[in-house]
Amino acid sequence: MQKLTKREDQIMQLIWQSDGMFIRDIVERLPHPKPHYNTVATIVKILVKKGFLTSEKLGNVDRYNAVVSMEAYRKEDISNIKKKYFDNSFSKMMAHFAKQEQLTDEEIQELIAIIKSKKV
């Protein structure tokens, strides 16, 4: 799966939160300064080519829906980060985040409980 650019990710976040969108809806929901309609249309067409979106013709306009779920993309993206920055080690990655985030004792206990619940 290809990596999303910052703007592509921003658009996908909107589409993942909806049940399909038109270009005008995407433009309306993007933060200021809003990109031009044609810019958004071009990015959406790129997302279709990359296989992230599909289009459905409704009258004279296209409605875009996600083909790749947020969960599938997140899983792939996190896996790539783990491989690239943490020698493919989950424990190294978690140790990094635990140090960076300055987790509270409560958060640490919550993580331990989640990890223990996943053991067979």
Side-chain angles (χ1 to χ4, degrees), residues 51-95:
F52 281 89
L53 296 177
T54 187
S55 65
E56 170 188 11
K57 195 70 142 175
L58 296 174
N60 294 337
V61 294
D62 288 317
R63 179 183 163 123
Y64 296 92
N65 294 291
V67 174
V68 176
S69 70
M70 181 191 291
E71 184 61 34
Y73 183 74
R74 180 175 33 201
K75 183 178 178 181
E76 177 86 14
D77 199 32
I78 289 172
S79 178
N80 289 335
I81 290 169
K82 183 177 73 165
K83 287 175 190 169
K84 184 175 180 179
Y85 297 106
F86 302 102
D87 300 324
N88 206 28
S89 168
F90 177 75
S91 59
K92 285 181 183 179
M93 185 171 75
M94 292 309 298

Side-chain angles (χ1 to χ4, degrees), residues 16-116:
W16 282 325
Q17 294 169 12
S18 71
D19 187 29
M21 296 182 85
F22 299 97
I23 301 290
R24 70 175 182 271
D25 298 326
I26 296 169
V27 173
E28 285 175 15
R29 291 177 135 179
L30 288 170
H32 289 281
K34 294 189 182 295
H36 191 274
Y37 181 96
N38 291 340
T39 302
V40 174
T42 299
I43 295 168
V44 167
K45 286 177 186 168
I46 291 168
L47 288 166
V48 170
K49 282 183 184 177
K50 285 183 169 184
F52 281 89
L53 296 177
T54 187
S55 65
E56 170 188 11
K57 195 70 142 175
L58 296 174
N60 294 337
V61 294
D62 288 317
R63 179 183 163 123
Y64 296 92
N65 294 291
V67 174
V68 176
S69 70
M70 181 191 291
E71 184 61 34
Y73 183 74
R74 180 175 33 201
K75 183 178 178 181
E76 177 86 14
D77 199 32
I78 289 172
S79 178
N80 289 335
I81 290 169
K82 183 177 73 165
K83 287 175 190 169
K84 184 175 180 179
Y85 297 106
F86 302 102
D87 300 324
N88 206 28
S89 168
F90 177 75
S91 59
K92 285 181 183 179
M93 185 171 75
M94 292 309 298
H96 168 79
F97 288 119
K99 290 175 189 172
Q100 289 294 314
E101 295 298 317
Q102 299 177 355
L103 300 176
T104 65
D105 288 341
E106 183 179 311
E107 290 170 322
I108 292 169
Q109 292 306 314
E110 185 179 339
L111 283 173
I112 290 169
I114 291 168
I115 292 167
K116 283 183 177 180

